[in-house]
């Protein structure tokens, strides 16, 4: 009788152990497979692998009172969305084509399911107005499998079923990058696109239905849509402020104010420097303006330049400036937001994500989401006329003691995620907040229409007799 050599005993035991282990895993994974919830096509085990990171980083939003999903789902349930959106299939010249993107023949939209196929928006100052890009990407992802996102809005392919008609024109980029007349052309690309857009929209049944009132047009750069804004003024605009608009074509009743995309880096709420860790009392860095509302910047400069805990410099916040602005804002207690050539600027949003309490000296400013956010809980407003009185501003700011400041700082840390543009979108981020703001405007639009209709029915009954 030959006994089995030691080595073979070992390997056959190992083998059965391995078989046992694999059986175990097969059982486990198939049980997961059969527990696939809802209407997702992706096994939950794989799905968790894909989304687990984004769940972990999810900002703790304070305004998730509306329908926020408990966990992200692979594709959105149309009944869950608060906003059904119909998007025109405008040719790429109007949107991703402006980023140099070319798809396959007849391809209108990039595949947003594969992150490396998504065209990049140009950096630097262009980014401040990139709202058009984030909103469009978000809509596309609502009909793309496996992109976990906030489900406030969803694309529908029948315009009669939509709450809003989305016009995917990257107007800010068109202004920033394509306003110059090239070679012997007569008109710039930016002008031509606007003319084409007006012609296109005015010919659509969707536009004629409510005279464009239920159309959403993005014009975040104050100089974007300079030609078309006059012809499309009935639509709902997404704007930075109303500084360069007449009141009939842009106003708080119908339009949505969206935050600038901040250019400085976001401070982690857990590592945010506290009162003592911010040696600078007041921080301001910006361009010096000689026209419009900008005079106040110079006046304040002369009032404050000799104070040792005040940082007040003129210069662009771009290039190396972004890094110094990041460091400067996060080591300051207060950050000035002074009207420049327009009432708003990205500086306010840079201050918010640096958790530097904004001091807003801009009488005409419009603030994003102000119907649900009380800015006085995390900012200080100073009328321009007061700010320019000698000693006024510094006395006011030095009077804000540690306890009061810390309260505002805590609030800033809470609301800062509302000002992040992200792809994919998350509940409570800037993209999600904009859709919710649009949905609130839509209800007030319906309200007004319904009131107008009150007596129409009875009129018809009378005429029928
Ligand atoms: C995503 O796109 C990149 C670049 O086009 C490509 O190399 C890659 O294979 C794509 N991935 C998937 C999963 O399709
Ligand atoms: C679009 O929706 C409307 C109203 O629900 C319906 O009457 C129409 O048939 C739909 N059109 C298509 C092409 O499905
Ligand atoms: C070009 O600009 C001129 C003058 O601004 C205007 O009259 C003309 O209609 C424009 N042409 C096109 C093709 O937009
Ligand atoms: C109802 O009447 C008002 C005022 O007479 C008018 O503006 C509105 O367009 C009418 N609505 C419909 C649905 O006919």
């Amino acid at each position: 009788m030959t006994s089995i050599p030691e080595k073979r005993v070992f390997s056959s035991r190992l083998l059965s152990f391995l078989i046992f282990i694999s059986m175990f895993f097969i059982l486990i994974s198939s049980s997961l497979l059969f527990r696939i919830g809802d209407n997702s096509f992706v096994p939950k085990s794989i799905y968790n692998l894909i989304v687990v990171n984004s769940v972990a980083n999810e900002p703790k939003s304070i305004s998730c009172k509306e329908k926020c999903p408990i966990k992200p789902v692979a594709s959105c349930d149309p009944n869950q969305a608060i906003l059904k959106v119909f998007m025109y299939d405008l040719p790429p010249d109007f949107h991703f084509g402006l980023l140099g993107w070319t798809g396959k023949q007849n391809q209108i939209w990039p595949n947003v399911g594969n992150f490396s196929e998504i065209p990049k928006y140009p950096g630097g100052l262009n980014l401040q107005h990139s709202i058009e890009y984030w909103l469009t990407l978000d809509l596309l992802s609502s009909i793309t499998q496996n992109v976990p996102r906030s489900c406030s809005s969803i694309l529908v392919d029948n315009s009669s079923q939509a709450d809003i008609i989305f016009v995917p024109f990257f107007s800010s980029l068109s202004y920033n990058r394509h306003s110059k007349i090239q070679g012997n052309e007569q008109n710039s690309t930016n002008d031509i696109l606007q003319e084409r857009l007006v012609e296109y929209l005015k010919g659509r049944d969707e536009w004629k239905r409510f005279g464009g009132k239920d159309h959403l047009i993005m014009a975040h750069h104050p100089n974007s849509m300079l030609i078309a804004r006059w012809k499309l003024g009935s639509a709902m605009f997404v704007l930075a402020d109303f500084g360069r608009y007449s009141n009939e074509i842009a106003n708080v009743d119908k339009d949505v104010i969206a935050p600038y995309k901040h250019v400085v880096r976001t401070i982690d709420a857990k590592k945010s420097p506290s009162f003592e860790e911010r040696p600078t009392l007041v921080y301001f860095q910006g361009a010096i303006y000689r026209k419009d509302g900008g005079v106040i910047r110079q006046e304040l400069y002369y009032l404050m330049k000799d104070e040792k805990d005040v940082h007040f410099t003129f210069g662009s916040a771009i290039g190396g400036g972004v890094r110094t602005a990041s460091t400067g804002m996060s080591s300051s207690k207060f950050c000035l937001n002074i009207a420049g050539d327009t009432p708003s600027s990205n500086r306010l949003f840079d201050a918010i994500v640096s958790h530097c309490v904004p001091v807003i000296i801009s009488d005409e400013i419009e603030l994003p989401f102000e119907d649900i956010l009380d800015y006085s809980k995390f900012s200080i407003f100073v009328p321009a006329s007061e700010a320019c009185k000698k000693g006024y501003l510094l006395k006011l700011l030095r009077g804000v003691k540690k306890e009061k400041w810390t309260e505002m700082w805590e609030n800033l840390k809470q609301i800062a995620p509302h000002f992040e543009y992200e792809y994919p979108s998350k509940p409570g981020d800037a993209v999600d907040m904009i859709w919710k703001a649009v949905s609130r405007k839509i209800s007030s639009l319906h309200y007004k229409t319904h009131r107008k209709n009150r007596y129409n029915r009875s009129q018809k009954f009378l005429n029928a007799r």
Side-chain angles (χ1 to χ4, degrees), residues 397-447:
L397 298 182
R398 290 198 206 284
V400 182
K401 296 298 173 227
K402 180 182 169 184
E403 193 184 317
K404 186 68 203 155
W405 182 90
T406 305
E407 200 183 303
M408 290 195 274
W409 171 71
E410 292 291 355
N411 290 335
L412 273 175
K413 291 194 284 182
Q414 286 259 309
I415 56 96
H418 295 322
F419 299 91
E420 297 292 351
Y421 287 96
E422 304 171 290
Y423 180 79
S425 62
K426 292 191 197 120
D429 72 4
V431 171
D432 189 48
M433 293 287 280
I434 291 172
W435 294 132
K436 287 176 179 159
V438 169
S439 147
R440 293 189 294 271
K441 293 283 172 189
I442 288 290
S443 358
S444 82
L445 178 70
H446 288 163
Y447 171 73

Side-chain angles (χ1 to χ4, degrees), residues 449 452-456 460:
T449 317
K452 271 196 193 145
N453 286 347
R454 277 183 182 184
Y455 297 102
N456 297 30
K460 271 188 197 146

Side-chain angles (χ1 to χ4, degrees), residues 347-445:
R347 213 162 286 107
L348 171 64
F349 308 100
D350 286 345
I352 289 175
V353 300
S354 307
H355 311 143
C356 175
V357 173
V359 177
I360 300 171
I361 309 171
S362 180
D363 301 346
E364 305 293 316
I365 198 169
E366 292 297 336
L367 298 163
F369 324 131
E370 203 176 4
D371 53 346
I372 56 165
L373 289 182
D374 182 353
Y375 279 71
S376 71
K377 296 209 161 112
F378 51 85
S379 338
I380 295 178
F381 290 85
V382 183
S385 54
E386 299 292 319
C388 289
K389 288 183 185 155
K390 194 166 188 301
Y392 179 93
L393 193 57
L394 285 173
K395 182 164 181 255
L396 175 87
L397 298 182
R398 290 198 206 284
V400 182
K401 296 298 173 227
K402 180 182 169 184
E403 193 184 317
K404 186 68 203 155
W405 182 90
T406 305
E407 200 183 303
M408 290 195 274
W409 171 71
E410 292 291 355
N411 290 335
L412 273 175
K413 291 194 284 182
Q414 286 259 309
I415 56 96
H418 295 322
F419 299 91
E420 297 292 351
Y421 287 96
E422 304 171 290
Y423 180 79
S425 62
K426 292 191 197 120
D429 72 4
V431 171
D432 189 48
M433 293 287 280
I434 291 172
W435 294 132
K436 287 176 179 159
V438 169
S439 147
R440 293 189 294 271
K441 293 283 172 189
I442 288 290
S443 358
S444 82
L445 178 70

Side-chain angles (χ1 to χ4, degrees), residues 97-334:
L98 292 168
L99 296 167
W101 175 80
T102 45
K104 298 190 193 80
Q105 206 187 359
N106 297 331
Q107 188 182 351
I108 296 176
W109 303 107
N111 167 21
V112 300
N114 181 347
F115 285 23
S116 52
E117 281 180 36
I118 299 176
K120 297 274 178 295
Y121 201 87
L125 276 181
N126 291 294
L127 268 180
Q128 320 178 69
H129 300 295
S130 54
I131 289 74
E132 50 206 24
Y133 174 74
W134 303 105
L135 294 183
T136 309
L137 283 182
D138 188 47
L139 285 179
L140 292 171
S141 72
S142 75
I143 46 163
T144 306
Q145 283 292 320
N146 304 336
V147 184
R149 64 187 280 272
S150 79
C151 283
S152 302
S153 64
I154 188 166
L155 273 186
V156 293
D157 53 16
N158 182 340
S159 60
S160 328
Q161 284 156 8
D163 303 307
I164 191 116
I165 314 289
F166 186 82
V167 180
F169 174 38
F170 290 2
S171 61
S172 299
L173 187 68
S174 175
Y175 171 76
N176 272 334
R177 287 298 181 88
H178 303 277
S179 292
K180 292 213 180 69
I181 293 171
Q182 305 286 336
N184 32 3
E185 283 168 10
Q186 280 223 312
N187 307 60
S188 70
T189 303
N190 183 41
D191 289 359
I192 294 167
L193 286 176
Q194 290 182 59
E195 300 282 1
R196 277 173 65 193
L197 185 68
V198 171
E199 200 185 310
Y200 176 88
L201 290 178
K202 293 282 165 99
R204 296 287 303 208
D205 290 340
E206 287 87 356
W207 183 273
K208 291 172 192 159
R209 204 166 54 171
F210 296 116
K213 280 189 185 145
D214 60 349
H215 279 53
L216 189 68
I217 296 178
M218 299 160 295
H220 200 262
H221 192 295
N223 292 343
S224 62
M225 301 286 276
L226 273 179
I227 301 174
R229 62 172 66 168
W230 299 99
K231 296 167 185 158
L232 305 176
S234 53
M236 186 187 294
F237 290 122
V238 179
L239 301 172
D241 59 48
F242 300 123
R244 294 185 185 166
Y245 281 84
S246 81
N247 191 48
E248 315 100 70
I249 59 168
N251 55 66
V252 268
D253 280 346
K254 70 174 186 69
D255 300 318
V256 170
I257 299 296
Y260 288 62
K261 179 169 168 49
H262 59 85
V263 296
V264 308
R265 63 166 191 272
T266 301
I267 294 196
D268 181 347
K270 290 187 206 82
K271 294 179 192 146
S272 183
S274 63
F275 190 78
E276 288 84 4
E277 289 161 338
R278 294 174 183 252
T280 308
L281 177 73
V282 189
Y283 183 92
F284 177 81
Q285 180 173 340
I288 189 159
Y289 287 103
R290 283 159 221 286
K291 52 173 186 177
D292 298 342
V295 195
I296 185 172
R297 291 189 178 183
Q298 286 164 69
E299 293 188 26
L300 279 171
Y301 175 70
Y302 289 110
L303 285 173
M304 301 174 84
K305 68 182 169 52
D306 297 326
E307 300 290 326
K308 65 176 191 327
D309 55 355
V310 171
H311 171 100
F312 203 115
T313 53
F314 291 115
S316 161
I318 280 309
V322 171
R323 213 170 319 115
T324 57
S326 278
T327 320
M329 287 185 165
S330 57
S331 53
S332 304
K333 295 184 181 79
F334 298 100

